[in-house]
Amino acid sequence: MTVLRARSVVVATGVPALFALLAGILTVTAPNPVAQAEEVAAAPAVVRPPLAIAPFATTRALPQPGYRPIPVTDRMRTADRVAFITIDDGVHKDPDALAFVEERQLPVTAFLSAWTIKDQAEYFTRIAAWGSIQNHSATHASFADETTDLNHEICYSQKAMRKAFGSKPWMLRPPYGAGADRFGTVLTAQRCGIREIVMWDATVSDGKVRLATGKLRPGSILLLHFGPDLARDLKAAVRAIHDAGLTPGRLADYLPTSSPEAS
Ligand SMILES: [Zn+2]
């Protein structure tokens, strides 16, 4: 369930829930069925009091008729027995991690902060050879902070990554997973070619897998970081994926709107 979809469900169910509540009150206070039937026959048309809370109030903030939310995914809904390895940031370029990925031909999705690429684009090109390289901001500023320059964080890094890798990202992972539901984030991301916002339901650090809920499931998305111990974390992730009866999958093949474009 995405953040934005979850919000729309709440909005959509709010009004029926209110009527259900009113209906419940009327039922409880009815004097008896026969008298009630006579009263109903003679009753004037029902006049409903105005709602105290305007329904769909949240839609008033929609800035444009053409606005549409970007899907936010924390776990893919798939019956395939796959889980997805994603690696964030890019500060450290651990050679042992690269060797492990190349040996296994692992499909990893690298969410990079553009400032970490520098002159070492080849490292990321190689480690994501079976996966893809995607956007994790320019400077790792929080998208939830209203002073953050979203145009720089999202759009500049789109250009920087296209220059470094030859193709423009179409997935975005906000730093700290924050601010994905802000209109500014969505509008800026759409304008600059982002079609999916990707979160996670499991993290791997210190060689340990930590789950948001329960256990790794088909479609689980694991979050790792380009740190000095990435090789150890990758091995832990692969072990946990296999222990759950799954195999590492290529995230870009599973997102509903996947269609990378080089423009
Ligand atoms: Zn990060």
Side-chain angles (χ1 to χ4, degrees):
M1 178 61 70
T2 71
V3 172
L4 292 169
R5 285 173 188 152
R7 175 169 297 172
S8 68
V9 168
V10 171
V11 171
T13 56
V15 173
L18 181 59
F19 284 125
L21 179 64
L22 289 171
I25 293 169
L26 289 173
T27 302
V28 169
T29 55
N32 68 64
V34 175
Q36 187 181 33
E38 290 168 352
E39 285 174 14
V40 167
V46 174
V47 177
R48 291 193 174 93
L51 292 170
I53 302 170
F56 311 112
T58 58
T59 62
R60 286 181 304 182
L62 297 182
Q64 300 289 338
Y67 173 89
R68 59 182 172 79
I70 297 179
V72 182
T73 302
D74 56 3
R75 181 174 72 87
M76 294 303 305
R77 272 46 176 179
T78 175
D80 291 355
R81 300 202 62 79
V82 293
F84 306 103
I85 295 173
T86 66
I87 314 173
D88 280 14
D89 298 347
V91 179
H92 294 274
K93 287 86 172 168
D94 177 16
D96 292 340
L98 177 59
F100 181 71
V101 167
E102 291 190 325
E103 177 196 324
R104 303 287 186 104
Q105 300 190 358
L106 277 181
V108 305
T109 306
F111 283 95
L112 300 182
S113 285
W115 76 270
T116 68
I117 301 169
K118 298 179 180 172
D119 57 351
Q120 299 185 63
E122 187 193 349
Y123 178 88
F124 298 115
T125 301
R126 287 175 59 183
I127 205 166
W130 295 270
S132 67
I133 295 172
Q134 304 294 343
N135 191 334
H136 187 50
S137 82
T139 70
H140 212 271
S142 172
F143 294 0
D145 184 340
E146 295 195 354
T147 65
T148 294
D149 181 349
L150 292 172
N151 191 58
H152 181 70
E153 294 300 328
I154 299 172
C155 301
Y156 164 78
S157 49
Q158 291 285 90
K159 291 177 195 160
M161 288 186 208
R162 186 172 69 173
K163 187 177 173 192
F165 305 114
S167 62
K168 195 165 69 174
W170 50 280
M171 300 181 211
L172 174 68
R173 173 171 284 161
Y176 319 104
D181 56 348
R182 285 185 61 198
F183 285 128
T185 301
V186 174
L187 291 172
T188 307
Q190 278 178 340
R191 178 164 54 79
C192 295
I194 295 296
R195 281 182 242 121
E196 304 280 345
I197 293 177
V198 179
M199 302 296 198
W200 61 89
D201 69 336
T203 62
V204 186
S205 60
D206 304 323
K208 292 190 177 66
V209 178
R210 297 173 179 83
L211 299 153
T213 55
K215 59 179 183 178
L216 282 183
R217 295 178 289 175
S220 278
I221 298 173
L222 295 86
L223 166 63
L224 291 74
H225 287 89
F226 282 102
D229 296 320
L230 178 57
R232 181 187 64 186
D233 290 344
L234 278 169
K235 288 170 187 169
V238 169
R239 196 180 314 120
I241 289 170
H242 288 160
D243 286 351
L246 309 171
T247 57
R250 185 172 183 272
L251 183 59
D253 292 339
Y254 278 83
L255 284 169
T257 59
S258 67
S259 54
E261 60 180 11
S263 60

